[in-house]
Amino acid sequence: MAVKKLSRVDEWADLTAQDVYSKIINNENFAVSPVKFNDTPIDFDFDASVQRGLVGRTAFSVDDEIKIAIALHEALIPARQASPALLRDPGVWMWIGLQELRDYVLIRWCGAKRTSMLPVTPERCSYFLTGDALVRQARCAVRRLWIAANASHRARSNYSAVAANLALTDLYTGVFERMLGLDAELACALTAELHKPKYLEAFRRKVLIGVGIRLSTVALECLDAGQKGHLIKEVIDDLTANPNVIKA
Amino acid sequence: MTSEIQIAGNNRWLSQADLGDEGHSIWGELVVDLTGRDDVERVRLSFELDVPTAKIGSAYDIKKSSEYFQFGVRIWNKSTRWREFRRGSLALVPKSGGRNSRIECRLDPFPIVVKEFGGEIEIEPILVTRPAALVDTDRNILLGKGSLIAWSEPVVIMLDRVRKGIDSLFEFLWISFAKPPAGLEPPANSFFFVKWEPRPKLYLNTDVDNLQRLLVSDSKAGRSHDGSVRRAVNSIIAHQILSSGLSAALQQARHHRVEDPDGTGEDLLSGLDEQNRTILRGWVSALGTDRALRPEEQLLTLLDLDADELMARVAEQIPNGLQSGLGTKKAVENLIAVVANALETKVD
């Protein structure tokens, strides 16, 4: 069977969440075209077994998201190899969300019921959109998954950190919507530690604030993996000894 | 900083001088604008900077600079979620011939493959501590590895933005205010006005004699007639749009701070609209903040103020801060000199 090719929604720049909502409600088509690099279409080989697992689902667990994230990251390797800049195209992410992972986005993020498959409000359709700002990258339903898998792949050359990266929504937001989330080693070290059940949300928040404070005077780029781990440990130890040193 | 570009299919590195007039649209003082230049395959940059030791000499044993510090650039590309450090070298140059000692920092040419990035690549030269622990004897604090000692304005490689500097904030449109296009109502007795939404547009009045000729003239001569008048007029426009622009940008920053009180200054800036980020990064110090701090840290200190204090600060600081930042005094002096000269010539 021929491998599917990566595409993009051409009209993404003109579409607001309200527009996407209207088009879905009215069952209208989106203008789509193949993504090409040096005039060559790019493969998008999404694991068929994962795709089949999405059919008929009425809810999605973190385990499901981990599988989708890994399959998505693998499917986008050819695009990344051609040019990492291709993956900043909001049209690509919109196509993936609307076409390839539509059920997941509609049910998990847009509040749709399996029976209707319609988003509950126009605002919820913002999960199909993305942009260059870190918050807008991480709040796109499908790009969010790719970011979690990509951080793991960069930090560890495997997908062993994806589970921790996606385990807790507040932790994901606190790490990957911030500049510290651009450093895959630090991001994965933070989620690996802070997703443990012994830490409560308020404490996780304080740790992230503490790390942010440290990084306002330290160039993260100059630290190796061990030093990053040490920095996290120091902040956790400080906060354990003096819980009120940071107010969250 | 020096930079060169390499065109696809051609191994030769090209500098601004090699490209002549074409080079002016690419290179600015701290900007390499490759917008629309899909033929550029790589950019090669090198850095040479001096760090005066006067400010750090009391905190560290400067003779041990090579042991204590390391120089390099950090590279950030938010579009592709990338940050890395490129290490350079440094050497202490002792005081001699009436010149104070300094740390000479350099980074030999390194290439950046353009297709691996998107949007803007920020490259910030920094001097950081090298040992696992170093005591700042001036402030009596222990610094860990990588602590920032000195930094310089980042160089920005723009891959897909059209304009730079204050031009990047606005789309400039020339219209007749007497006969404006449908839907536009220019204010009476004005020579420009700004519409902020959705993308800021600066409308300039073609009915004002010579305004267009002056503002689009490329005369750079210090006291030339056109150059002086253009700078003075630009200064008036800049004062007014930056005043309202800074207020609007602060308002958005304040809103974001309320939404995410835990974020760092960098997080805050990166979440703002492009024009607001550009305004604040370039002009936050006009609000009387501590210029020794990085712009994002300056912004955080402002946002620690309550709403009334912040408004008072804006009202008090903007006029002076902008005059200083925009070189208004110099612009006015040049204009007066040109006018005086013209009058003298007329009398003669």
Side-chain angles (χ1 to χ4, degrees):
Chain A
M1 203 172 98
V3 173
K4 185 175 273 190
K5 302 297 177 191
L6 185 68
S7 294
R8 69 192 295 274
V9 173
D10 296 325
E11 54 187 326
W12 70 266
D14 299 323
L15 296 176
T16 61
Q18 171 72 54
D19 299 328
V20 174
Y21 175 78
S22 302
K23 277 180 166 271
I24 292 174
I25 294 284
N26 298 322
N27 203 21
E28 290 173 27
N29 289 327
F30 292 83
V32 166
S33 68
V35 174
K36 291 183 179 176
F37 189 72
N38 291 339
D39 287 332
T40 308
I42 293 166
D43 287 349
F44 181 78
D45 192 7
F46 194 92
D47 186 331
S49 66
V50 176
Q51 188 70 273
R52 277 195 299 275
L54 305 181
V55 177
R57 302 293 296 271
T58 55
F60 292 89
S61 65
V62 172
D63 283 344
D64 295 326
E65 291 190 312
I66 295 166
K67 286 181 198 149
I68 300 170
I70 295 170
L72 181 59
H73 192 264
E74 287 174 334
L76 288 171
I77 285 174
R80 198 179 184 292
Q81 283 173 342
S83 168
L86 290 177
L87 297 184
R88 61 183 285 263
D89 179 354
V92 165
W93 296 107
M94 191 178 271
W95 175 77
I96 293 170
L98 287 165
Q99 191 81 29
E100 298 302 298
L101 293 168
R102 188 181 182 107
D103 289 10
Y104 164 72
V105 182
L106 284 172
I107 291 172
R108 168 73 173 86
W109 294 99
C110 302
K113 297 276 182 263
R114 168 59 65 185
T115 45
S116 68
M117 291 305 282
L118 297 176
V120 290
T121 61
E123 293 76 30
R124 293 279 191 106
C125 287
S126 65
Y127 291 109
F128 287 104
L129 312 178
T130 187
D132 263 352
L134 298 183
V135 171
R136 298 201 63 206
Q137 290 182 26
R139 289 192 190 173
C140 167
V142 287
R143 196 173 185 182
R144 168 181 175 273
L145 299 178
W146 182 86
I147 288 169
N150 190 51
S152 176
H153 200 261
R154 270 171 53 195
R156 303 184 178 181
S157 303
N158 60 42
Y159 294 116
S160 62
V162 182
N165 288 347
L166 290 171
L168 301 162
T169 307
D170 70 286
L171 181 57
Y172 179 95
T173 302
V175 171
F176 291 102
E177 288 190 1
R178 302 225 166 98
M179 285 297 291
L180 59 84
L182 267 55
D183 186 290
E185 264 179 0
L186 181 75
C188 292
L190 276 166
T191 60
E193 180 61 30
L194 294 179
H195 88 287
K196 293 173 183 168
K198 66 177 175 179
Y199 299 116
L200 299 177
E201 183 177 349
F203 189 82
R204 290 196 292 270
R205 249 185 98 186
K206 285 186 181 183
V207 172
L208 294 177
I209 295 171
V211 170
I213 291 170
R214 295 284 187 100
L215 294 179
S216 63
T217 55
V218 172
L220 170 60
E221 298 81 358
C222 300
L223 307 183
D224 61 29
Q227 288 156 343
K228 289 168 194 169
H230 185 65
L231 185 145
I232 295 169
K233 185 176 179 307
E234 274 186 347
V235 172
I236 290 175
D237 289 349
D238 280 355
L239 283 166
T240 306
N242 305 293
N244 295 322
V245 73
I246 292 173
K247 288 197 175 74
Chain B
M1 184 272 293
T2 60
S3 62
E4 298 163 300
I5 59 173
Q6 197 176 60
I7 309 287
N10 186 341
N11 285 335
R12 199 177 147 220
W13 287 101
L14 302 168
S15 67
Q16 180 170 1
D18 294 324
L19 289 179
D21 287 346
E22 200 186 345
H24 290 295
S25 65
I26 295 177
W27 279 279
E29 193 180 344
L30 290 170
V31 174
V32 181
D33 188 349
L34 300 179
T35 303
R37 293 296 307 243
D38 296 338
D39 56 336
V40 174
E41 209 161 49
R42 298 196 290 173
V43 183
R44 186 166 72 172
L45 299 112
S46 60
F47 291 83
E48 281 184 27
L49 292 100
D50 283 351
V51 179
T53 57
K55 283 191 176 172
I56 55 176
S58 59
Y60 314 98
D61 181 356
I62 291 303
K63 291 193 195 89
K64 294 185 176 175
S65 292
S66 304
E67 186 186 327
Y68 287 173
F69 307 127
Q70 89 182 3
F71 169 73
V73 296
R74 52 179 178 183
I75 302 173
W76 287 356
N77 185 228
K78 294 190 195 94
S79 293
T80 54
R81 303 184 66 84
W82 189 258
R83 54 193 288 179
E84 66 167 293
F85 185 68
R86 293 267 179 155
R87 190 168 297 174
S89 59
L90 61 84
L92 178 69
V93 180
K95 183 175 179 176
S96 71
R99 201 169 167 199
N100 289 327
S101 66
R102 63 191 193 280
I103 300 170
E104 249 181 24
C105 303
R106 60 180 292 129
L107 179 61
D108 291 334
F110 66 96
I112 283 179
V113 180
V114 169
K115 74 166 186 174
E116 291 179 0
F117 298 92
E120 292 177 11
I121 309 169
E122 283 180 46
I123 302 162
E124 184 183 38
I126 52 175
L127 186 72
V128 296
T129 55
R130 192 170 185 172
L134 178 65
V135 177
D136 173 336
T137 53
D138 202 13
R139 292 178 293 169
N140 201 24
I141 53 171
L142 187 67
L143 302 175
K145 186 184 177 189
S147 297
L148 288 161
I149 301 297
W151 60 87
S152 173
E153 284 283 298
V155 173
V156 179
I157 300 176
M158 291 180 181
L159 300 180
D160 55 9
R161 274 185 46 190
V162 182
R163 290 154 298 165
K164 50 201 174 192
I166 200 161
D167 289 2
S168 67
L169 303 177
F170 300 96
E171 186 179 344
F172 286 79
L173 296 162
W174 288 91
I175 59 168
S176 164
F177 282 24
K179 295 173 188 165
L184 279 179
E185 291 179 22
N189 300 319
S190 59
F191 71 95
F192 77 94
F193 75 100
V194 174
K195 279 181 83 79
W196 289 96
E197 300 292 344
R199 173 82 172 87
K201 291 186 173 67
L202 178 65
Y203 291 93
L204 291 142
N205 190 352
T206 53
D207 304 331
V208 178
D209 283 348
N210 290 319
L211 182 65
Q212 190 166 13
R213 183 184 67 75
L214 278 169
L215 291 188
V216 301
S217 102
D218 57 0
S219 168
K220 292 184 174 67
R223 288 194 172 185
S224 72
H225 178 271
D226 278 9
S228 298
V229 178
R230 189 185 70 238
R231 270 188 293 278
V233 174
N234 273 339
S235 171
I236 294 169
I237 296 173
H239 266 273
Q240 296 190 33
I241 57 181
L242 278 174
S243 299
S244 50
L246 265 170
S247 303
L250 269 178
Q251 204 168 4
Q252 194 193 25
R254 201 174 163 77
H255 178 69
H256 279 231
R257 190 65 178 160
V258 170
E259 272 196 341
D260 180 13
D262 305 343
T264 63
E266 287 160 4
D267 296 323
L268 184 63
L269 271 185
S270 71
L272 300 178
D273 292 342
E274 188 181 295
Q275 73 270 15
N276 288 343
R277 188 166 64 239
T278 310
I279 286 181
L280 285 171
R281 185 168 278 156
W283 293 96
V284 68
S285 62
L287 296 168
T289 46
D290 180 356
R291 285 166 191 260
L293 297 174
R294 300 161 57 75
E296 47 269 40
E297 301 306 320
Q298 293 180 46
L299 178 59
L300 285 186
T301 61
L302 282 175
L303 296 179
D304 283 342
L305 302 173
D306 68 32
D308 291 342
E309 286 173 331
L310 183 59
M311 196 176 284
R313 172 73 77 92
V314 169
E316 183 185 311
Q317 295 289 342
I318 278 186
N320 293 338
L322 290 185
Q323 275 192 65
S324 154
L326 291 167
T328 310
K329 179 168 172 278
K330 182 82 176 163
V332 171
E333 281 172 355
N334 279 351
L335 181 64
I336 291 170
V338 166
V339 173
N341 196 25
L343 287 173
E344 279 172 21
T345 310
K346 205 172 177 183
V347 171
D348 291 344

